[in-house]
């Protein structure tokens, strides 16, 4: 929270620190820290009492799916905030994390699931992907309506 508050308090003309624009750096560090804390909390919850904290991506169905669900929800939060604040970097980070989560789900999590759980995982991934696509389409349509012109595509 302090990193986000610091970014908010460093409004112009105080936003330059050593000739570097500080708020984007603080917001990026705060987002990375929040993601790391999310993963640490999941690892702590699934660690045995009295043992050391370990990060494992195998052996426990509940732990693997908790990581996947938490990553997908974090990606959706990044996407929604990026859309609301019109921050391209946040939107791309959210879409990238959602892509990594879907790859993890397909290549790691689904390999160890039974048929019924696999169907449930596909339904959950489809619901999250649909939410993300509807949110992104709504942003795209709102920006076209607001500016009256089609926003440039990435890379053009």
């Amino acid at each position: 929270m302090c990193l986000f508050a610091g970014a908010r308090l460093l409004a112009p003309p105080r936003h330059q620190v050593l000739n570097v624009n500080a708020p984007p750096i603080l917001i990026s560090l705060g987002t990375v820290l929040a993601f790391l804390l999310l993963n640490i909390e999941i690892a702590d919850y699934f660690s045995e009492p009295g043992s050391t904290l370990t990060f494992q991506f195998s052996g426990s169905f509940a732990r693997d799916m908790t990581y996947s669900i938490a990553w997908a929800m974090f990606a959706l939060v990044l996407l929604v905030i990026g859309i609301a604040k019109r921050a391209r970097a946040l939107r791309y980070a959210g879409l990238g994390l959602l892509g990594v989560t879907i790859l993890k789900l397909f290549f790691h999590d689904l390999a160890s699931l039974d048929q019924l759980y696999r169907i449930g995982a596909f339904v959950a991934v489809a619901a999250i992907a649909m939410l993300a696509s509807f949110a992104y389409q709504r942003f795209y349509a709102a920006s076209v309506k607001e500016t009256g012109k089609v926003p440039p595509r990435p890379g053009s």
Side-chain angles (χ1 to χ4, degrees), residues 37-61:
L37 288 174
L38 174 72
N39 287 307
I40 288 170
E41 288 297 323
I42 293 170
D44 184 45
Y45 181 80
F46 286 103
S47 294
E48 294 180 18
S51 67
T52 59
L53 185 66
T54 57
F55 292 97
Q56 297 176 349
F57 290 109
S58 61
S60 172
F61 168 73

Side-chain angles (χ1 to χ4, degrees), residues 14-147:
R14 296 181 307 265
H15 67 288
Q16 295 287 330
V17 177
L18 299 174
N19 294 326
V20 175
N21 191 10
I25 294 171
L26 293 176
I27 290 172
S28 299
L29 290 173
T31 304
V32 169
L33 183 62
F35 185 69
L36 288 174
L37 288 174
L38 174 72
N39 287 307
I40 288 170
E41 288 297 323
I42 293 170
D44 184 45
Y45 181 80
F46 286 103
S47 294
E48 294 180 18
S51 67
T52 59
L53 185 66
T54 57
F55 292 97
Q56 297 176 349
F57 290 109
S58 61
S60 172
F61 168 73
R63 181 179 47 229
D64 290 344
M65 292 310 291
T66 302
Y67 278 119
S68 296
I69 292 168
W71 290 4
M73 297 307 290
F74 194 86
L76 276 177
V77 167
L78 287 178
L79 188 62
V80 168
I81 293 172
I83 289 171
K85 300 250 184 211
R86 298 187 184 279
R88 180 180 295 181
L90 274 177
R91 289 193 314 265
Y92 288 157
L95 289 173
L97 182 58
L98 190 60
V100 168
T101 303
I102 290 172
L103 287 174
K104 177 191 175 294
L105 183 72
F106 281 122
F107 291 116
H108 177 73
D109 297 341
L110 292 180
S112 62
L113 292 181
D114 293 332
Q115 193 85 17
L116 186 60
Y117 291 119
R118 198 174 288 172
I119 292 169
F122 277 127
V123 169
V125 167
I128 291 170
M130 285 175 38
L131 282 172
S133 66
F134 285 137
Y136 210 78
Q137 265 312 103
R138 185 174 185 136
F139 164 75
Y140 185 79
S143 66
V144 168
K145 187 176 184 181
E146 183 178 294
T147 62

